[in-house]
Amino acid sequence: MAFEYSDNQSGQLDLFGNFPAKKVVPAAEIVSPELSQNGLVHFRYNPLMKKSIRCSGGGLFGHPEVILPGYMKAPEFVDARELAAEWAEHALRRKTQKNKAIIKDLVSRLWTLVDQILVDKGEAPTESRGRLPPIRPKGNCHNLDDILAAVNETYFDGALTCRITWSNRVGGLSFHSLRKDPKTGEEFHLISISRGYDMPNCPKYAVAGVVYHECLHIVIPVEERNGRRVVHGRQFRQRERRYIFYDEWIKWHKEVLPKNIRAMRRKR
């Protein structure tokens, strides 16, 4: 099993040019699906379970025993199992307000991560409400990861740190938000792009235009003027016009995107 990463040795990327070749790096050794990595939590699996986990304190040597859905025995769920182990250790402690908050956070991160793993495998997520939806950068027509990488290198010297996904909303709005990483618990910026851009009639320069626009929202904070929030201030508009295909993108956004959105709503 292996994963891939891009190693850019050539400096700035052309906006729509070739991307660096991918290197294949060996994945970490597969760990036992029966024990947590610290060896203190024992895992059992129930093939009938899908969206729930259980634990008890009478497991191996008195340490927690966690019952997980059967599909979580697969090696790609190792990080999810570690979150379940951490959850079990807190779940058996005294229910203080602080501990309850930790338990709630771990449960949310666990199922967010499970959903993402299922989607990456091409399977349906568990679809529980209130959690970060799976991140899906690969659309039917455009790969947002590639476009974000090009925009980042061309306009931000590769310094921008964020993630990107096609939005689950049926509407014309693209937006960015602060989210929490399910593995580490750290906050990160997530850009969500309207699926109206993921159409055969949408040129890549239009997708790059809206991606650049949302990236600017990350690097240029909202201004406060006379008690009002100014989202698209003078500095924002000036930098937005630096996009090489700005006029073409705005024209497509105003004339074609609304038609795509109406077509999506009719299908739904």
Side-chain angles (χ1 to χ4, degrees):
M1 188 176 180
F3 65 89
E4 296 181 335
Y5 75 100
S6 293
D7 185 15
N8 184 4
Q9 303 291 339
S10 59
Q12 190 178 59
L13 286 173
D14 178 76
L15 186 58
F16 303 122
N18 295 323
F19 290 87
K22 293 182 176 179
K23 293 183 179 180
V24 177
V25 181
E29 294 182 4
I30 298 176
V31 298
S32 169
E34 310 298 333
L35 287 173
S36 62
Q37 292 186 21
N38 63 11
L40 298 180
V41 179
H42 184 242
F43 299 122
R44 290 199 296 118
Y45 300 90
N46 184 337
L48 301 180
M49 293 170 58
K50 184 175 181 180
K51 301 185 194 178
S52 62
I53 57 175
R54 303 170 189 166
C55 76
S56 65
L60 190 66
F61 303 118
H63 292 298
E65 181 178 71
V66 180
I67 303 175
L68 301 170
Y71 61 82
M72 288 181 64
K73 192 173 184 178
E76 54 264 40
F77 287 93
V78 58
D79 290 326
R81 293 197 296 266
E82 289 304 304
L83 282 175
E86 188 177 352
W87 162 81
E89 292 176 343
H90 283 278
L92 296 176
R93 296 175 185 173
R94 186 162 165 257
K95 298 299 189 293
T96 63
Q97 287 299 115
K98 181 179 179 180
N99 198 38
K100 287 180 181 179
I102 293 174
I103 291 171
K104 183 178 180 180
D105 178 64
L106 288 169
V107 169
S108 176
R109 288 164 55 192
L110 166 66
W111 292 113
T112 294
L113 181 56
V114 168
D115 279 352
Q116 186 64 57
I117 295 169
L118 289 172
V119 168
D120 290 344
K121 293 177 64 179
E123 301 176 14
T126 58
E127 296 183 350
S128 294
R129 296 179 180 178
R131 297 199 303 266
L132 170 68
I135 298 175
R136 297 182 174 97
K138 293 183 179 179
N140 296 321
C141 303
H142 299 288
N143 187 329
L144 291 174
D145 278 341
D146 289 347
I147 293 174
L148 175 61
V151 169
N152 193 11
E153 289 295 332
T154 303
Y155 293 99
F156 303 97
D157 295 324
L160 193 64
T161 301
C162 61
R163 302 180 194 177
I164 194 165
T165 183
W166 289 108
S167 175
N168 289 325
R169 301 180 183 181
V170 179
L173 292 178
S174 300
F175 58 97
H176 107 276
S177 57
L178 272 177
R179 299 288 188 157
K180 184 174 288 188
D181 188 293
K183 293 183 182 180
T184 66
E186 297 176 344
E187 287 189 334
F188 67 93
H189 290 279
L190 176 64
I191 293 175
S192 299
I193 300 299
S194 167
R195 287 192 178 274
Y197 282 90
D198 191 27
M199 297 285 189
N201 64 0
C202 182
K204 188 175 288 188
Y205 69 73
V207 188
V210 70
V211 169
Y212 175 60
H213 176 95
E214 296 305 327
C215 287
L216 286 179
H217 278 302
I218 296 175
V219 300
I220 301 177
V222 175
E223 300 177 30
E224 294 285 344
R225 294 181 187 170
N226 300 322
R228 296 182 57 188
R229 298 175 74 254
V230 179
V231 179
H232 301 120
R234 181 178 180 181
Q235 181 188 8
F236 187 98
R237 291 303 187 190
Q238 287 178 341
R239 289 195 59 176
E240 186 179 42
R241 287 186 173 276
R242 295 179 189 175
Y243 177 52
I244 188 173
F245 298 110
Y246 175 81
D247 292 333
E248 293 87 343
W249 162 53
I250 291 297
K251 179 179 174 62
W252 190 95
H253 180 86
K254 291 181 177 180
E255 297 179 0
V256 184
L257 179 62
K259 298 177 183 178
N260 287 355
I261 298 303
R262 288 196 291 270
M264 290 169 56
R265 288 173 174 165
R266 283 196 298 268
K267 288 183 179 179
R268 189 163 183 173

